[in-house]
mmCIF file of all heavy atoms in Angstrom:
data_model
loop_
_atom_site.group_PDB
_atom_site.id
_atom_site.type_symbol
_atom_site.label_atom_id
_atom_site.label_comp_id
_atom_site.label_asym_id
_atom_site.label_seq_id
_atom_site.Cartn_x
_atom_site.Cartn_y
_atom_site.Cartn_z
ATOM 1 N N ALA A 1 0.842 -1.189 0.004
ATOM 2 C CA ALA A 1 0.006 0.004 0.021
ATOM 3 C C ALA A 1 0.875 1.246 -0.006
ATOM 4 O O ALA A 1 1.714 1.386 0.862
ATOM 5 C CB ALA A 1 -0.900 0.032 1.214
ATOM 6 N N GLY A 2 0.609 2.088 -0.973
ATOM 7 C CA GLY A 2 1.381 3.350 -0.993
ATOM 8 C C GLY A 2 0.665 4.392 -0.165
ATOM 9 O O GLY A 2 -0.352 4.170 0.426
ATOM 10 N N ALA A 3 1.223 5.567 -0.225
ATOM 11 C CA ALA A 3 0.635 6.617 0.628
ATOM 12 C C ALA A 3 -0.368 7.465 -0.139
ATOM 13 O O ALA A 3 -0.869 8.435 0.440
ATOM 14 C CB ALA A 3 1.768 7.504 1.124
ATOM 15 N N ARG A 4 -0.611 7.162 -1.387
ATOM 16 C CA ARG A 4 -1.537 8.005 -2.178
ATOM 17 C C ARG A 4 -2.653 7.202 -2.786
ATOM 18 O O ARG A 4 -2.563 6.764 -3.922
ATOM 19 C CB ARG A 4 -0.737 8.723 -3.236
ATOM 20 C CG ARG A 4 0.257 9.687 -2.690
ATOM 21 C CD ARG A 4 1.120 10.319 -3.777
ATOM 22 N NE ARG A 4 1.945 9.342 -4.443
ATOM 23 C CZ ARG A 4 2.732 9.644 -5.459
ATOM 24 N NH1 ARG A 4 2.726 10.827 -5.967
ATOM 25 N NH2 ARG A 4 3.454 8.704 -6.016
ATOM 26 N N PRO A 5 -3.737 6.946 -2.033
ATOM 27 C CA PRO A 5 -4.867 6.222 -2.574
ATOM 28 C C PRO A 5 -5.388 6.885 -3.837
ATOM 29 O O PRO A 5 -5.446 8.133 -3.914
ATOM 30 C CB PRO A 5 -5.885 6.227 -1.441
ATOM 31 C CG PRO A 5 -5.091 6.484 -0.201
ATOM 32 C CD PRO A 5 -3.942 7.350 -0.626
ATOM 33 N N GLY A 6 -5.765 6.067 -4.815
ATOM 34 C CA GLY A 6 -6.335 6.625 -5.997
ATOM 35 C C GLY A 6 -5.318 7.090 -7.027
ATOM 36 O O GLY A 6 -5.700 7.665 -8.022
ATOM 37 N N ASP A 7 -4.070 6.860 -6.710
ATOM 38 C CA ASP A 7 -3.036 7.203 -7.666
ATOM 39 C C ASP A 7 -3.362 6.556 -9.059
ATOM 40 O O ASP A 7 -3.559 5.376 -9.119
ATOM 41 C CB ASP A 7 -1.704 6.748 -7.137
ATOM 42 C CG ASP A 7 -0.533 7.327 -7.995
ATOM 43 O OD1 ASP A 7 -0.715 7.712 -9.140
ATOM 44 O OD2 ASP A 7 0.593 7.308 -7.462
ATOM 45 N N LYS A 8 -3.290 7.386 -10.114
ATOM 46 C CA LYS A 8 -3.610 6.845 -11.409
ATOM 47 C C LYS A 8 -2.630 5.738 -11.832
ATOM 48 O O LYS A 8 -2.987 4.821 -12.584
ATOM 49 C CB LYS A 8 -3.585 7.955 -12.449
ATOM 50 C CG LYS A 8 -4.675 8.983 -12.294
ATOM 51 C CD LYS A 8 -4.635 10.044 -13.366
ATOM 52 C CE LYS A 8 -5.732 11.054 -13.167
ATOM 53 N NZ LYS A 8 -5.695 12.074 -14.202
ATOM 54 N N ALA A 9 -1.452 5.854 -11.260
ATOM 55 C CA ALA A 9 -0.469 4.751 -11.609
ATOM 56 C C ALA A 9 -0.891 3.426 -11.065
ATOM 57 O O ALA A 9 -0.398 2.408 -11.435
ATOM 58 C CB ALA A 9 0.906 5.150 -11.080
ATOM 59 N N ALA A 10 -1.864 3.453 -10.153
ATOM 60 C CA ALA A 10 -2.257 2.192 -9.544
ATOM 61 C C ALA A 10 -3.281 1.482 -10.364
ATOM 62 O O ALA A 10 -3.774 0.450 -9.969
ATOM 63 C CB ALA A 10 -2.833 2.475 -8.145
ATOM 64 N N ASP A 11 -3.636 2.024 -11.493
ATOM 65 C CA ASP A 11 -4.736 1.447 -12.285
ATOM 66 C C ASP A 11 -4.205 0.998 -13.622
ATOM 67 O O ASP A 11 -4.692 1.391 -14.636
ATOM 68 C CB ASP A 11 -5.849 2.483 -12.407
ATOM 69 C CG ASP A 11 -7.157 1.820 -12.647
ATOM 70 O OD1 ASP A 11 -7.232 0.583 -12.558
ATOM 71 O OD2 ASP A 11 -8.082 2.530 -12.961
ATOM 72 N N ARG A 12 -3.189 0.130 -13.611
ATOM 73 C CA ARG A 12 -2.582 -0.296 -14.904
ATOM 74 C C ARG A 12 -2.650 -1.821 -14.997
ATOM 75 O O ARG A 12 -1.674 -2.487 -14.769
ATOM 76 C CB ARG A 12 -1.133 0.137 -14.953
ATOM 77 C CG ARG A 12 -0.927 1.614 -14.875
ATOM 78 C CD ARG A 12 0.540 1.838 -15.082
ATOM 79 N NE ARG A 12 0.926 3.155 -14.623
ATOM 80 C CZ ARG A 12 2.189 3.490 -14.372
ATOM 81 N NH1 ARG A 12 3.142 2.629 -14.588
ATOM 82 N NH2 ARG A 12 2.482 4.704 -13.968
ATOM 83 N N PRO A 13 -3.846 -2.345 -15.263
ATOM 84 C CA PRO A 13 -3.978 -3.846 -15.301
ATOM 85 C C PRO A 13 -3.127 -4.454 -16.344
ATOM 86 O O PRO A 13 -2.843 -5.633 -16.277
ATOM 87 C CB PRO A 13 -5.461 -4.046 -15.521
ATOM 88 C CG PRO A 13 -5.934 -2.777 -16.163
ATOM 89 C CD PRO A 13 -5.113 -1.671 -15.616
ATOM 90 N N GLY A 14 -2.747 -3.739 -17.392
ATOM 91 C CA GLY A 14 -2.005 -4.391 -18.471
ATOM 92 C C GLY A 14 -0.561 -4.056 -18.497
ATOM 93 O O GLY A 14 0.092 -4.121 -19.538
ATOM 94 N N ASP A 15 -0.027 -3.511 -17.345
ATOM 95 C CA ASP A 15 1.340 -3.046 -17.382
ATOM 96 C C ASP A 15 2.338 -4.115 -17.832
ATOM 97 O O ASP A 15 2.271 -5.220 -17.408
ATOM 98 C CB ASP A 15 1.701 -2.585 -15.947
ATOM 99 C CG ASP A 15 2.915 -1.709 -15.916
ATOM 100 O OD1 ASP A 15 3.332 -1.225 -16.980
ATOM 101 O OD2 ASP A 15 3.539 -1.579 -14.835
ATOM 102 N N ARG A 16 3.258 -3.706 -18.640
ATOM 103 C CA ARG A 16 4.281 -4.558 -19.178
ATOM 104 C C ARG A 16 3.756 -5.849 -19.790
ATOM 105 O O ARG A 16 4.254 -6.967 -19.512
ATOM 106 C CB ARG A 16 5.304 -4.909 -18.080
ATOM 107 C CG ARG A 16 6.063 -3.699 -17.620
ATOM 108 C CD ARG A 16 7.288 -4.048 -16.917
ATOM 109 N NE ARG A 16 7.999 -2.855 -16.431
ATOM 110 C CZ ARG A 16 9.135 -2.901 -15.804
ATOM 111 N NH1 ARG A 16 9.726 -4.062 -15.594
ATOM 112 N NH2 ARG A 16 9.709 -1.795 -15.439
ATOM 113 N N ALA A 17 2.736 -5.695 -20.525
ATOM 114 C CA ALA A 17 2.098 -6.824 -21.244
ATOM 115 C C ALA A 17 1.452 -7.776 -20.267
ATOM 116 O O ALA A 17 0.987 -8.820 -20.622
ATOM 117 C CB ALA A 17 3.091 -7.587 -22.089
ATOM 118 N N GLY A 18 1.414 -7.380 -18.948
ATOM 119 C CA GLY A 18 0.622 -8.135 -17.980
ATOM 120 C C GLY A 18 0.983 -9.609 -18.002
ATOM 121 O O GLY A 18 2.038 -10.014 -17.647
ATOM 122 N N ASP A 19 0.024 -10.361 -18.400
ATOM 123 C CA ASP A 19 0.191 -11.782 -18.424
ATOM 124 C C ASP A 19 1.134 -12.165 -19.597
ATOM 125 O O ASP A 19 0.785 -12.076 -20.745
ATOM 126 C CB ASP A 19 -1.177 -12.449 -18.644
ATOM 127 C CG ASP A 19 -1.093 -13.946 -18.711
ATOM 128 O OD1 ASP A 19 -0.013 -14.451 -18.699
ATOM 129 O OD2 ASP A 19 -2.146 -14.525 -18.796
ATOM 130 N N ARG A 20 2.350 -12.517 -19.225
ATOM 131 C CA ARG A 20 3.364 -12.752 -20.261
ATOM 132 C C ARG A 20 3.165 -14.136 -20.897
ATOM 133 O O ARG A 20 4.133 -14.923 -20.907
ATOM 134 C CB ARG A 20 4.763 -12.573 -19.655
ATOM 135 C CG ARG A 20 4.967 -11.165 -19.163
ATOM 136 C CD ARG A 20 6.336 -11.068 -18.508
ATOM 137 N NE ARG A 20 7.364 -11.328 -19.429
ATOM 138 C CZ ARG A 20 8.009 -10.396 -20.124
ATOM 139 N NH1 ARG A 20 7.632 -9.148 -19.975
ATOM 140 N NH2 ARG A 20 8.992 -10.669 -20.946
ATOM 141 N N GLY A 21 2.021 -14.459 -21.274
ATOM 142 C CA GLY A 21 1.787 -15.732 -21.884
ATOM 143 C C GLY A 21 0.612 -16.380 -21.235
ATOM 144 O O GLY A 21 0.570 -17.570 -21.029
ATOM 145 N N GLY A 22 -0.351 -15.544 -20.798
ATOM 146 C CA GLY A 22 -1.434 -16.019 -19.967
ATOM 147 C C GLY A 22 -1.973 -17.347 -20.338
ATOM 148 O O GLY A 22 -2.224 -18.194 -19.529
ATOM 149 N N ALA A 23 -2.161 -17.614 -21.615
ATOM 150 C CA ALA A 23 -2.590 -18.912 -22.004
ATOM 151 C C ALA A 23 -1.436 -19.857 -22.022
ATOM 152 O O ALA A 23 -1.605 -21.033 -22.341
ATOM 153 C CB ALA A 23 -3.310 -18.870 -23.356
ATOM 154 N N GLY A 24 -0.299 -19.373 -21.760
ATOM 155 C CA GLY A 24 0.838 -20.224 -21.454
ATOM 156 C C GLY A 24 1.771 -20.500 -22.559
ATOM 157 O O GLY A 24 2.979 -20.602 -22.354
ATOM 158 N N ASP A 25 1.358 -20.658 -23.785
ATOM 159 C CA ASP A 25 2.257 -21.181 -24.772
ATOM 160 C C ASP A 25 2.924 -20.130 -25.529
ATOM 161 O O ASP A 25 2.378 -19.513 -26.425
ATOM 162 C CB ASP A 25 1.478 -22.126 -25.701
ATOM 163 C CG ASP A 25 0.217 -21.474 -26.219
ATOM 164 O OD1 ASP A 25 -0.020 -20.275 -25.931
ATOM 165 O OD2 ASP A 25 -0.477 -22.153 -26.976
ATOM 166 N N ARG A 26 4.204 -19.848 -25.221
ATOM 167 C CA ARG A 26 4.978 -18.986 -26.079
ATOM 168 C C ARG A 26 5.193 -19.667 -27.428
ATOM 169 O O ARG A 26 5.475 -19.056 -28.427
ATOM 170 C CB ARG A 26 6.323 -18.672 -25.446
ATOM 171 C CG ARG A 26 6.145 -17.645 -24.338
ATOM 172 C CD ARG A 26 7.441 -17.185 -23.789
ATOM 173 N NE ARG A 26 8.182 -16.428 -24.821
ATOM 174 C CZ ARG A 26 9.354 -15.870 -24.579
ATOM 175 N NH1 ARG A 26 9.879 -15.995 -23.427
ATOM 176 N NH2 ARG A 26 9.975 -15.268 -25.532
ATOM 177 N N SER A 27 5.101 -20.961 -27.396
ATOM 178 C CA SER A 27 5.205 -21.670 -28.654
ATOM 179 C C SER A 27 3.893 -21.638 -29.417
ATOM 180 O O SER A 27 3.788 -21.838 -30.600
ATOM 181 C CB SER A 27 5.632 -23.130 -28.446
ATOM 182 O OG SER A 27 4.702 -23.788 -27.600
ATOM 183 N N GLY A 28 2.786 -21.349 -28.695
ATOM 184 C CA GLY A 28 1.463 -21.351 -29.305
ATOM 185 C C GLY A 28 1.270 -22.607 -30.151
ATOM 186 O O GLY A 28 1.356 -23.675 -29.706
ATOM 187 N N ALA A 29 1.016 -22.388 -31.385
ATOM 188 C CA ALA A 29 0.902 -23.487 -32.301
ATOM 189 C C ALA A 29 2.239 -23.810 -32.904
ATOM 190 O O ALA A 29 2.362 -24.604 -33.804
ATOM 191 C CB ALA A 29 -0.118 -23.187 -33.402
ATOM 192 N N ALA A 30 3.264 -23.128 -32.410
ATOM 193 C CA ALA A 30 4.598 -23.296 -33.015
ATOM 194 C C ALA A 30 5.202 -24.573 -32.665
ATOM 195 O O ALA A 30 5.832 -24.726 -31.656
ATOM 196 C CB ALA A 30 5.482 -22.133 -32.546
ATOM 197 N N ASP A 31 4.964 -25.538 -33.423
ATOM 198 C CA ASP A 31 5.565 -26.824 -33.299
ATOM 199 C C ASP A 31 7.026 -26.746 -33.694
ATOM 200 O O ASP A 31 7.359 -26.684 -34.863
ATOM 201 C CB ASP A 31 4.807 -27.861 -34.172
ATOM 202 C CG ASP A 31 5.393 -29.233 -34.008
ATOM 203 O OD1 ASP A 31 6.408 -29.428 -33.333
ATOM 204 O OD2 ASP A 31 4.816 -30.128 -34.636
ATOM 205 N N ARG A 32 7.925 -26.719 -32.706
ATOM 206 C CA ARG A 32 9.308 -26.587 -33.026
ATOM 207 C C ARG A 32 9.938 -27.883 -33.334
ATOM 208 O O ARG A 32 11.152 -27.957 -33.493
ATOM 209 C CB ARG A 32 10.017 -25.900 -31.838
ATOM 210 C CG ARG A 32 9.481 -24.500 -31.580
ATOM 211 C CD ARG A 32 10.317 -23.801 -30.570
ATOM 212 N NE ARG A 32 11.681 -23.616 -31.065
ATOM 213 C CZ ARG A 32 12.598 -22.953 -30.383
ATOM 214 N NH1 ARG A 32 12.314 -22.450 -29.243
ATOM 215 N NH2 ARG A 32 13.800 -22.817 -30.910
ATOM 216 N N GLY A 33 9.202 -28.946 -33.312
ATOM 217 C CA GLY A 33 9.796 -30.211 -33.676
ATOM 218 C C GLY A 33 8.758 -31.193 -34.138
ATOM 219 O O GLY A 33 9.047 -32.345 -34.355
ATOM 220 N N GLY A 34 7.554 -30.769 -34.269
ATOM 221 C CA GLY A 34 6.532 -31.655 -34.772
ATOM 222 C C GLY A 34 5.872 -32.413 -33.642
ATOM 223 O O GLY A 34 4.693 -32.390 -33.526
ATOM 224 N N ALA A 35 6.620 -33.067 -32.822
ATOM 225 C CA ALA A 35 6.021 -33.946 -31.815
ATOM 226 C C ALA A 35 5.723 -33.224 -30.522
ATOM 227 O O ALA A 35 5.047 -33.759 -29.699
ATOM 228 C CB ALA A 35 6.952 -35.139 -31.524
ATOM 229 N N GLY A 36 6.255 -32.022 -30.329
ATOM 230 C CA GLY A 36 6.174 -31.414 -29.025
ATOM 231 C C GLY A 36 5.320 -30.157 -28.981
ATOM 232 O O GLY A 36 5.717 -29.219 -28.310
ATOM 233 N N VAL A 37 4.202 -30.141 -29.639
ATOM 234 C CA VAL A 37 3.403 -28.907 -29.699
ATOM 235 C C VAL A 37 3.030 -28.478 -28.314
ATOM 236 O O VAL A 37 3.165 -27.309 -27.982
ATOM 237 C CB VAL A 37 2.099 -29.156 -30.527
ATOM 238 C CG1 VAL A 37 1.242 -27.923 -30.516
ATOM 239 C CG2 VAL A 37 2.450 -29.597 -31.931
ATOM 240 N N ALA A 38 2.591 -29.352 -27.441
ATOM 241 C CA ALA A 38 2.185 -28.965 -26.129
ATOM 242 C C ALA A 38 3.276 -28.883 -25.125
ATOM 243 O O ALA A 38 3.088 -28.411 -23.992
ATOM 244 C CB ALA A 38 1.145 -29.961 -25.611
#
């Protein structure tokens, strides 16, 4: 908790791309070897 409630900086849900892979797969559908998609 900072000392300034309501600071606009506190309202950045997407800061720095937020969820850096929220659905998890940086490979996505990128099969880097065919057998290891998941």
